[in-house]
Amino acid sequence: MVLPDVEVIWLGGRTRESQGYDLTGLFVGSEGTFGIATKIIVRILRRPQAVKTVLAVFDQVEAASESVSAVIGRGLVPAAMEMIDQLTIQAVEDAFGCGYPRDAAAALLIELDGLREGMEAQAERVMAACRENGAREVRAARDEAERQLLWKGRKSAFGAYGRISPAYMVMDGVIPRTRLPEVLNRIRRLEQRSGLRIGNVFHAGDGNLHPLICYDERIPGQADKAAEVAAEILSNCIDAGGSLTGEHGVGADKSRYMPTMFSPDDLALMQRVRAVFDPRGLCNPGKVFPTPRLCGEVPGPYRQHPLEVAGLAERF
Amino acid sequence: MVLPDVEVIWLGGRTRESQGYDLTGLFVGSEGTFGIATKIIVRILRRPQAVKTVLAVFDQVEAASESVSAVIGRGLVPAAMEMIDQLTIQAVEDAFGCGYPRDAAAALLIELDGLREGMEAQAERVMAACRENGAREVRAARDEAERQLLWKGRKSAFGAYGRISPAYMVMDGVIPRTRLPEVLNRIRRLEQRSGLRIGNVFHAGDGNLHPLICYDERIPGQADKAAEVAAEILSNCIDAGGSLTGEHGVGADKSRYMPTMFSPDDLALMQRVRAVFDPRGLCNPGKVFPTPRLCGEVPGPYRQHPLEVAGLAERF
């Protein structure tokens, strides 16, 4: 990496174990506030020998949440457990016709990977866990084409929202998995109170939620209301023992919420660590930490790229 | 954790994903140089449903090393792959009679854990990999008693060295797994040149070596010679693209070797990071970083606890 004083340093080593302080781990997640990575060496993982994808369909979101807990509770470790709710299912089906039932409350996509031996038996255990927790339909993708179609629904979900809303704000909160039903209920009540539709797409396996707050910026006040709902959702995640970002980072938009997670001492400590690498604050200024300039601002809406609205983004 | 200025801070959160800088990861591995952890919350892992332990016996150390690569190359991920060499086998058999053949060049203990489904098939694949790479004998532990006996040999290995040497120095180097045969050959040549016996006990799965340099401190010059051999072994590990500690840390003894792994700039950066938490250097002084006081010193020998010499340590 290149430090702001143009010093070039290497972090990490070639073995799994290293020594000295874990500066690589510190750099990952610093969101560009330490310096610029100009060369990265990654460890390549072998492609799994076998993959099995299961779709479970539910009439109740709670049943889907409980199925997630049941799968994990049985000691199974899927490569992915993705949930989409009714609003998302309808948007996806309108756009692509992937085969999700339009009247379902939630669909759960569970993918197992690993050795061929025992894969069928593991898939059976996953399907049994879903059935016992109230799934109305459970099936495994018969072939690669069907598997791809199911994943297309999940992967194109954000783009498909262009069909049902001119704009949306996508959140990235994390909660402990056990609190899933409770937090989803709170989001449902927020939807009713605000009058804004909120869809849910999430990585259920690690409790990472992506609520999508739909609004129309041409209607006066709606963008502000969406920002208020966004703040309430994050506040609910934090109250449930979670965090305000799972994979998309703090950036500028969420830096204002950092004081809800961290004490002034915590934040001062982080700023001091940052100053070791970047004493003058030249790298990615205004990100991660709340500053006077950002505290008073309202975030801009997420604007869809024209390709996303047309549902074309996933082709590229 | 408690910082040296008596500030008490929490690092990390309750979800797998977090935000802000990864100060937990930074603290882990700082060897007490930042402050003192007074409370730690850990994630409990479920006990695996099934465990299977395989013993493979070899007439050539190279064949054992190649078997390790073959197991990993087939995409199998054992919970443990432990290798002991002939000197260690003989010490262990003298002390405990665990069932390792005394004339073997190396024994490999491979443990698989996970779901019951597919476990037998995985064990078959592991055993086939060892046979195809020259194992003269391969067998799975028939029951828990036999499994425990095999593990007793590995876990009591350090203590068993009390039978064959009045003192030894235990190393903790790491190398990329692919360099295993080459580095083991270098250690063998060092043994011949120095006249000191060197046994090998190691976590073959992650390339973490624990060479044991046997010496007698009552013979003038032997302790110094052992320290020289130790330095050469670490230098070989680093030359092979490895590191000077896998799990036992840098501490005081190996701090002098840090400049062989890190540039003065790297070390200065780490010292600056340390100063954020402990500006006056009060916490675990003299560890990790080379200081003038330590650079000139020769490390003291590792002295066995009387219980270890008697082979009693593993009972407690």
Side-chain angles (χ1 to χ4, degrees), chain B residues 67-134:
Chain B
S67 296
V68 170
S69 297
V71 168
I72 293 161
R74 288 175 193 203
L76 297 155
V77 187
M81 278 206 278
E82 300 286 316
M83 206 195 292
I84 59 177
D85 70 353
Q86 191 171 45
L87 190 61
T88 311
I89 289 171
Q90 290 176 357
V92 164
E93 286 303 309
D94 282 353
F96 312 109
C98 298
Y100 294 102
R102 294 180 57 91
D103 64 332
L108 194 56
L109 201 58
I110 304 177
E111 188 156 286
L112 296 160
D113 67 8
L115 295 176
R116 203 170 290 117
E117 287 98 351
M119 182 58 76
E120 285 301 323
Q122 279 191 48
E124 283 303 326
R125 283 164 57 92
V126 163
M127 292 195 281
C130 293
R131 276 191 209 101
E132 286 162 27
N133 284 278

Side-chain angles (χ1 to χ4, degrees), chain A residues 22-293:
Chain A
D22 181 17
L23 299 181
T24 313
L26 182 66
F27 182 75
V28 173
S30 65
E31 301 191 14
T33 58
F34 288 0
I36 300 169
T38 52
K39 199 167 187 178
I40 297 173
I41 296 176
V42 295
R43 180 182 296 272
I44 304 295
L45 290 180
R46 169 178 288 265
R47 285 178 76 150
Q49 203 180 47
V51 174
K52 194 92 189 172
T53 306
V54 168
L55 173 70
V57 178
F58 298 86
D59 287 328
Q60 305 282 339
V61 173
E62 288 75 11
S65 303
E66 279 152 21
S67 296
V68 170
S69 297
V71 168
I72 293 161
R74 287 174 195 206
L76 297 155
V77 186
M81 279 206 277
E82 301 286 318
M83 206 194 293
I84 58 177
D85 70 354
Q86 190 169 47
L87 190 60
T88 311
I89 289 171
Q90 290 176 357
V92 164
E93 286 303 310
D94 282 354
F96 311 108
C98 298
Y100 294 102
R102 295 180 56 93
D103 63 332
L108 194 56
L109 202 58
I110 304 176
E111 188 157 287
L112 296 160
D113 67 11
L115 295 176
R116 204 170 289 119
E117 287 99 349
M119 182 58 74
E120 285 302 322
Q122 279 191 50
E124 282 304 326
R125 284 164 58 94
V126 163
M127 294 196 280
C130 293
R131 277 191 207 100
E132 285 162 28
N133 284 278
R136 78 174 201 208
E137 181 194 343
V138 184
R139 61 185 163 95
R142 278 170 307 239
D143 51 30
E144 183 58 22
E146 191 178 350
R147 175 179 166 250
Q148 290 294 345
L149 195 61
L150 289 174
W151 273 112
K152 183 178 178 176
R154 165 61 188 88
K155 290 185 179 169
S156 313
F158 285 14
Y161 268 83
R163 294 244 167 194
I164 58 173
S165 182
Y168 64 84
M169 201 173 282
V170 60
M171 312 303 300
D172 173 40
V174 185
I175 54 170
R177 284 182 304 235
T178 49
R179 309 291 290 273
L180 211 48
E182 175 193 336
V183 173
L184 290 179
N185 275 333
R186 283 175 190 271
I187 294 176
R188 200 53 56 223
R189 285 201 295 276
L190 258 175
E191 184 177 36
Q192 288 154 2
R193 217 172 63 215
S194 68
L196 298 180
R197 283 178 302 173
I198 307 176
N200 275 296
V201 173
F202 47 93
H203 312 297
D206 47 14
N208 185 194
L209 310 182
H210 291 310
L212 293 112
I213 306 163
C214 299
Y215 66 100
D216 187 338
E217 54 188 321
R218 294 163 302 188
I219 300 174
Q222 276 220 342
D224 289 347
K225 191 179 271 182
E228 280 163 32
V229 169
E232 279 210 59
I233 289 176
L234 286 181
S235 155
N236 276 317
C237 290
I238 292 166
D239 289 349
S243 86
L244 54 84
T245 174
E247 54 191 8
H248 297 219
V250 175
D253 181 26
K254 294 199 215 167
S255 59
R256 87 189 74 179
Y257 304 121
M258 287 290 275
T260 63
M261 288 277 320
F262 295 104
S263 73
D265 279 352
D266 291 337
L267 291 170
L269 188 72
M270 287 185 206
Q271 296 264 34
R272 267 144 54 198
V273 171
R274 186 232 183 132
V276 167
F277 296 85
D278 181 20
R280 285 181 293 160
L282 300 174
C283 294
N284 219 4
K287 303 293 165 58
V288 182
F289 300 103
T291 65
R293 184 170 58 80

Side-chain angles (χ1 to χ4, degrees), chain A residues 7 9 17 19 21 33 46 73 115 117 121-122 125 243-246 261 265 269-270 272 276 289, chain B residues 7 9 17 19 21 33 46 73 115 117 121-122 125 243-246 261 265 269-270 272 274 276 289:
Chain A
E7 196 181 332
I9 59 168
E17 322 288 344
Q19 65 280 300
Y21 300 148
T33 58
R46 169 178 288 265
L115 295 176
E117 287 99 349
Q122 279 191 50
R125 284 164 58 94
S243 86
L244 54 84
T245 174
M261 288 277 320
D265 279 352
L269 188 72
M270 287 185 206
R272 267 144 54 198
V276 167
F289 300 103
Chain B
E7 197 181 333
I9 59 168
E17 321 287 344
Q19 66 281 297
Y21 301 147
T33 56
R46 170 179 287 265
L115 295 176
E117 287 98 351
Q122 279 191 48
R125 283 164 57 92
S243 85
L244 54 86
T245 174
M261 289 276 322
D265 280 354
L269 187 73
M270 288 185 202
R272 266 142 59 197
R274 188 237 180 125
V276 166
F289 299 103

Side-chain angles (χ1 to χ4, degrees), chain B residues 294-308:
Chain B
L294 280 165
C295 275
E297 284 179 17
V298 173
Y302 173 75
R303 283 170 198 280
Q304 289 195 305
H305 189 280
L307 285 176
E308 275 191 334

